[in-house]
Amino acid sequence: MTDIHADIEAIRREQGSRLLVLGHHYQSPAVLRHADVIGDSLELARSAAASTAGRIVFCGVHFMAESADILTTPDQLVYMPETGAGCPMAEMADDYQVEKAWRFLQPHGGSFLPVVYVNSSARVKAFCGRNGGSACTSSNAAKVFQWGLAQNRKIFFLPDIHLGTNSAHDLGIPDDRIVIYDYRQPNGGLTPADVERATVIVWGGFCPIHVAFTVDQVREIRSRWPAAKIIVHPESPKEVVRIVDAHGSTAQIIKYVQQAPDGSTIFIGTESQLVKRLAAENQDRLTLKPLHASFCPNMAKTNEPNLLRVLRDWPDRNRVSVPSNVAAEARSCLERMLAL
Ligand code: 13P
Ligand code: SF4
């Protein structure tokens, strides 16, 4: 055991239930061995909401720590070992652009309801909460879409083009009713007729890690390993999602692996740190391989040295604190998701 490992564990023992360390599945094994809870973004949001710890250390990316701060009381403090660990997809939708899009959509489309992927800033969640919408994760996107559609509302989904398109398709919405809002163009590049036709409007953001999976990779695997199964995360492009054996959120991918018959070979299209860990944990039973190596550099910014630093010194610069007016509106959008 290294000194750094022992030092972190000594602080965790000394802090006891006053400290909660949360670790996302995409973190390295070195970091995850210090986590009280390992989960996907939905499970970690639930853990934060249920916690009474005075200090929560979030090993993940910035929007996840913001959600933890929003869902906890003002006297519970949320820290990140490295606050510069952002999510490029979340940064593809800023609240100013989103408000502009909302003003454009309103007069044309009838009654829109915002649905915001948790991979978004607190300000975008506040926009969603203020307009009666709900957050979602990749684990519960279908449920949240159904909730909106059952109210006869059109869904304005952001920021991930692929999760939005794949979730709508899974619910049987035809492709010509799924309309892309390209935030780099005036009015999203849409005409009033496009908006009127839409059942779902999907913001044009994406995850650089999951768009690395391609149809050619799937074809190559199929020709070389015809018996292998392929599963991808729904942040992958629809062309890939529609030709593989299964698609699902992080928690659903883990379940798929757990339920696979002994001796199976499975290629997994998601962040490679998780694939590596699953492969190691299941090596006696399964052959698990990445569809293509694709690591999230932001998730990798958290490591044992910066985790120890935050636990030892609690620097203010490592705190993630959402202004109370933003948090109040953002909370309603996250709580709506947790209640669904
Ligand atoms: P999960 O919601 O599956 O944890 O995914 C988070 C994420 O960042 C996916 O890229
Ligand atoms: Fe963001 Fe993609 Fe990294 Fe997830 S894997 S944190 S969506 S960049």
Side-chain angles (χ1 to χ4, degrees):
M1 202 157 56
T2 59
D3 287 349
I4 195 159
H5 175 100
D7 290 351
I8 292 172
E9 286 308 293
I11 296 172
R12 287 185 62 223
R13 266 196 309 279
E14 183 264 318
Q15 291 274 325
S17 61
R18 287 171 291 156
L19 169 67
L20 177 70
V21 180
L22 299 174
H24 188 268
H25 283 299
Y26 296 174
Q27 293 290 306
S28 69
V31 169
L32 288 182
R33 60 191 176 166
H34 303 295
D36 296 296
V37 182
I38 299 173
D40 68 359
S41 52
L42 180 61
E43 291 157 347
L44 296 179
R46 285 193 193 285
S47 299
S51 165
T52 53
R55 281 168 166 164
I56 296 174
V57 176
F58 212 115
C59 303
V61 290
H62 198 263
F63 72 80
M64 297 178 179
E66 276 190 337
S67 294
D69 185 54
I70 292 164
L71 290 168
T72 48
T73 60
D75 56 339
Q76 291 177 286
L77 307 185
V78 176
Y79 292 81
M80 285 180 80
E82 168 52 66
T83 50
C87 167
M89 182 209 286
E91 287 157 20
M92 290 176 198
D94 73 47
D95 57 311
Y96 174 76
Q97 288 172 305
V98 171
E99 289 284 3
K100 224 166 117 183
W102 186 244
R103 283 197 298 276
F104 166 68
L105 296 176
Q106 288 301 306
H108 303 301
S111 168
F112 275 97
L113 190 66
V115 173
V116 167
Y117 192 22
V118 287
N119 298 37
S120 56
S121 69
R123 286 186 182 277
V124 167
K125 291 186 182 81
F127 151 82
C128 179
R130 171 161 83 239
N131 290 289
S134 172
C136 76
T137 73
S138 51
S139 283
N140 60 19
K143 206 182 263 182
V144 177
F145 270 53
Q146 280 166 329
W147 165 78
L149 295 169
Q151 302 172 47
N152 274 329
R153 309 285 292 275
K154 291 183 174 216
I155 289 176
F156 175 41
F157 179 80
L158 57 157
D160 185 18
I161 187 171
H162 302 297
L163 180 64
T165 304
N166 291 323
S167 303
H169 177 79
D170 287 348
L171 293 173
I173 297 170
D175 281 347
D176 66 339
R177 299 292 176 109
I178 306 168
V179 171
I180 309 307
Y181 186 96
D182 179 354
Y183 62 92
R184 288 153 301 202
Q185 293 193 47
N187 295 336
L190 301 181
T191 63
D194 294 326
V195 181
E196 275 154 30
R197 179 181 90 242
T199 303
V200 180
I201 299 262
V202 180
W203 194 264
F206 61 91
C207 162
I209 313 313
H210 287 89
V211 296
F213 305 118
T214 65
V215 169
D216 283 350
Q217 291 158 5
V218 174
R219 291 205 179 115
E220 161 94 6
I221 304 294
R222 293 258 195 254
S223 72
R224 293 179 60 191
W225 288 274
K229 299 286 185 201
I230 307 177
I231 182 167
V232 300
H233 192 282
E235 286 176 12
S236 310
K238 67 177 185 214
E239 294 76 14
V240 175
V241 167
R242 293 183 193 178
I243 60 169
V244 295
D245 298 290
H247 61 277
S249 67
T250 303
Q252 289 154 356
I253 290 173
I254 293 171
K255 194 166 168 203
Y256 186 86
V257 165
Q258 285 166 346
Q259 293 178 346
D262 288 358
S264 309
T265 297
I266 307 172
F267 284 81
I268 304 177
T270 195
E271 207 275 340
S272 291
Q273 194 65 256
L274 170 63
V275 181
K276 265 174 66 180
R277 203 174 79 245
L278 287 174
E281 286 169 3
N282 292 280
Q283 59 184 328
D284 297 340
R285 206 173 72 74
L286 303 169
T287 304
L288 303 178
K289 292 174 181 294
L291 176 56
H292 168 78
S294 194
F295 289 90
C296 178
N298 282 287
M299 285 284 181
K301 286 179 181 168
T302 299
N303 51 39
E304 280 187 302
N306 56 30
L307 176 58
L308 176 59
R309 215 170 303 131
V310 80
L311 291 174
R312 203 178 43 203
D313 302 334
W314 302 106
D316 269 352
R317 66 173 182 281
N318 287 71
R319 261 195 72 195
V320 176
S321 176
V322 177
S324 58
N325 57 330
V326 178
E329 290 180 326
R331 189 175 305 119
S332 69
C333 126
L334 283 166
E335 285 180 346
R336 218 165 272 133
M337 168 185 84
L338 295 176
L340 274 172

